[in-house]
Amino acid sequence: MTQNLPGRLQYPLPQPPANGTFTGIAPGVLWLRVPLPFRLNHINIYLIEDGDGWAVLDTGIANKSTQDIWEALAAGPLAGRKLTRLIVTHYHPDHIGLAGWLSERFGLPLLTTQTTYLQCLSISLRPGALDAKVYRDFYLRNGLDAESTARVTTQGHNYLKMVTPLPPVFERIAAGDRLKIGGRIFEVLTGDGHAPEQAMLYCAADKLFFGADQVLEKISPNVSVWAVDPQGDPLGYYLRSLNALKAYLPEDVLVLPGHQMPFTGLHIRADELAAHHGQRCAIIKEACRTPKPAAGLVPLVFRRPLDPHEMSFAFSEVLAHVNYMLRQGELVWAEPEDGVARVISNLRA
Ligand SMILES: [Zn+2]
Ligand SMILES: [Zn+2]
């Protein structure tokens, strides 16, 4: 059944598979749902036919219930067909969490981008690195409260609770590579903004686009500044990536995303996501008629109560908009107040 509304997204299947189970979503492509213990309560994992077995795209986080799902699939519905290799799109724990375990348990080579591998490895080697004065000062200087600051600076340790140690070797994939999986050729695309050098796979012949977290059906992927690159412009990278995807991919590709429903309507959705960020920039521009610290903008952009965990995410996302608008010349620095940095709208922009 396809939902056909003019100018809207279309869905090849009306419902996702139940947690821990899969359904066919295209010839030789299985769509698996795995639960996550977060507000975003699931991840989509894809199995792509690869000769006499299945290539795995992303893993779920490292916990017992996710391991049990993989064991049950291997012993049950997938029995007789081996897993051939593991492709990981980006370093977030819902996508890479079980890479080390899966790779060892089923003897799979790990394919991912260099940045994904190194980012995960660097957190693993120094999980406490963000809990340094220079990073704490950065958040406090931008007006973030002490409790939320403590959350962000200890996130390396939280990350490692959800990730098994990576295999010592990996196979690098990079933008422009052509990857043969079964009878298909996939082009590797990468995009930044949500995660650095996030990998996506595109099969032009069959119009399949595995988009990871770059373009999701309903939610806007998190786009955050991190303290290691305090003036970074992840929103600028993200918007550039949306434009590049729109320019390169046809509108009628089937988008197979890391969360929520597979759909067609990539250009429509990319435009909606860009407009969503444009609205946030407009709110910030209006609010900054008088000087504001970045943290002071959070309640104006996220109009609901946030716990410290959500606050740390929301703050880093608002800061991405502030940094972007500083680069665009729409905001400029104002005088700090009580040691807190503030920005103001550039009335000449
Ligand atoms: Zn992600
Ligand atoms: Zn994700």
Side-chain angles (χ1 to χ4, degrees), residues 90 94-95 213 259:
H90 64 297
D94 41 341
H95 299 260
D213 284 0
H259 306 278

Side-chain angles (χ1 to χ4, degrees), residues 35-236:
L36 294 175
F38 310 129
R39 180 193 281 256
L40 181 58
N41 63 7
H42 69 275
I43 175 174
N44 297 328
I45 289 167
Y46 299 97
L47 301 172
I48 305 169
E49 195 161 53
D50 190 14
D52 58 355
W54 299 99
V56 178
L57 186 64
D58 287 337
T59 73
I61 66 164
N63 64 18
K64 175 78 167 62
S65 64
T66 312
Q67 286 175 329
D68 288 347
I69 287 170
W70 282 112
E71 292 285 7
L73 288 175
L78 297 180
R81 294 193 74 177
K82 61 181 186 193
L83 303 179
T84 56
R85 49 186 149 165
L86 171 60
I87 304 162
V88 166
T89 58
H90 64 297
Y91 82 99
H92 291 159
D94 41 341
H95 299 260
I96 205 172
L98 271 183
W101 178 82
L102 268 174
S103 163
E104 191 169 319
R105 170 71 183 79
F106 298 102
L108 310 179
L110 168 64
L111 285 70
T112 193
T113 62
Q114 177 151 282
T115 311
T116 299
Y117 187 82
L118 294 180
Q119 182 90 345
C120 181
L121 190 65
S122 98
I123 301 172
S124 309
L125 294 174
R126 289 203 308 154
L130 279 181
D131 196 7
K133 187 169 182 306
V134 60
Y135 301 130
R136 265 181 270 129
D137 286 351
F138 162 74
Y139 290 110
L140 298 169
R141 190 170 66 246
N142 281 289
L144 191 64
D145 63 280
E147 196 179 348
S148 302
T149 295
R151 283 273 179 169
V152 242
T153 52
T154 55
Q155 67 190 9
H157 291 289
N158 294 332
Y159 178 85
L160 281 196
K161 287 180 194 152
M162 299 180 274
V163 174
T164 50
L166 285 180
V169 294
F170 76 111
E171 285 179 30
R172 181 176 179 187
I173 53 174
D177 281 356
R178 289 182 188 275
L179 206 57
K180 187 170 185 306
I181 305 178
R184 290 186 169 113
I185 301 289
F186 288 89
E187 183 176 345
V188 177
L189 312 178
T190 60
D192 278 73
H194 173 69
E197 209 190 353
Q198 175 177 241
M200 298 165 279
L201 299 179
Y202 172 47
C203 174
D206 293 336
K207 298 200 169 172
L208 299 175
F209 173 55
F210 294 90
D213 284 0
Q214 204 70 343
V215 181
L216 302 175
E217 171 222 352
K218 287 204 174 94
I219 53 175
S220 169
N222 184 258
V223 173
S224 285
V225 171
W226 61 315
V228 177
D229 181 17
Q231 271 127 58
D233 185 20
L235 179 56

Side-chain angles (χ1 to χ4, degrees), residues 39 144-145 147-148 280 295 297-318:
R39 180 193 281 256
L144 191 64
D145 63 280
E147 196 179 348
S148 302
R280 287 189 164 176
L297 295 165
V298 173
L300 304 171
V301 173
F302 292 85
R303 295 168 180 276
R304 59 185 171 86
L306 301 172
D307 66 29
H309 174 72
E310 293 169 327
M311 182 65 189
S312 60
F313 268 98
F315 167 77
S316 302
E317 174 120 10
V318 166

Side-chain angles (χ1 to χ4, degrees), residues 29-40:
V29 179
L30 305 178
W31 168 26
L32 166 66
R33 271 268 162 138
V34 168
L36 294 175
F38 310 129
R39 180 193 281 256
L40 181 58

